Amino acid sequence: MAQDQDREDGRQLSPAFPLRLALLSVLGWLLVGSANAAEPPDNVAQAIADAVQSCKDIDGKPNADAVLSTQDLNGDGGEDWIADYKKFKCEGVPNPLCTAGGCTLQIYFWDGETAWDLVFEDLVQSYKFGKNGGNPMMYVTTSGDPCNKPTNETCSYTYRLDKDAVVPVK
């Protein structure tokens, strides 16, 4: 059985103190660990590094902190990566990953093992994820250019999010 321990100020520590300290350490590790658990895979990290460099190349000050997020988009149980360059900041100059038609959006699907494949990349004005008949879907709005309309008009596209592909729905 643990003996009471004396503190420097003369008070005694409870016999349960080491157990409480260990529990707090584990809880702290879980909280900090879970906040940093989602480190991007190499190809995703490289895409972000390329974006940062493109900003620096035009004398901007890059901030890519808000670009990446993870979510199981296709329902396969693995985290997929979303790189939304609309959230990329390039202080002092225009965002090099955006045009008048929209900003680059990249989607990386987990391959079920150890890699993430780039399955979607396009200039979009907006997007959202949803379901249709139980199938994971992505709804995208672009400028009018891709559907032969003036740039200031829009096009709407619907995609089904399969296990390993983003499939256009007609």
Side-chain angles (χ1 to χ4, degrees), residues 8 27 41 83 90-91 95 97 101 104 109 112 128 133-134 137-138 153 170:
E8 287 182 27
L27 286 174
C90 189
E91 189 177 318
N95 182 337
L97 294 149
T104 301
F109 280 175
K128 68 179 180 175
M137 306 295 282
M138 179 171 67
E153 293 186 25
K170 299 204 181 225

Side-chain angles (χ1 to χ4, degrees), residues 47-77:
I48 297 299
D50 292 346
V52 165
Q53 188 58 51
S54 69
C55 176
K56 289 178 179 178
D57 288 347
I58 56 174
D59 297 324
K61 183 179 175 188
N63 182 338
D65 292 347
V67 172
L68 291 177
S69 62
T70 59
Q71 185 177 339
D72 181 6
L73 298 173
N74 56 2
D76 67 357

Side-chain angles (χ1 to χ4, degrees), residues 90-157:
C90 189
E91 189 177 318
V93 295
N95 182 337
L97 294 149
C98 294
T99 68
C103 296
T104 301
L105 174 67
Q106 296 173 325
I107 307 284
Y108 297 83
F109 280 175
W110 178 55
D111 72 358
E113 294 180 17
T114 60
W116 283 259
D117 300 321
L118 178 63
V119 294
F120 181 88
E121 181 173 30
D122 205 350
L123 289 174
V124 305
Q125 291 180 345
S126 65
Y127 65 95
K128 68 179 180 175
F129 300 106
K131 290 205 181 246
N132 185 358
N135 295 314
M137 306 295 282
M138 179 171 67
Y139 306 96
V140 172
T141 302
T142 68
S143 72
D145 294 333
C147 59
N148 299 316
K149 293 181 182 177
T151 301
N152 62 343
E153 293 186 25
T154 61
C155 306
S156 296
Y157 297 96

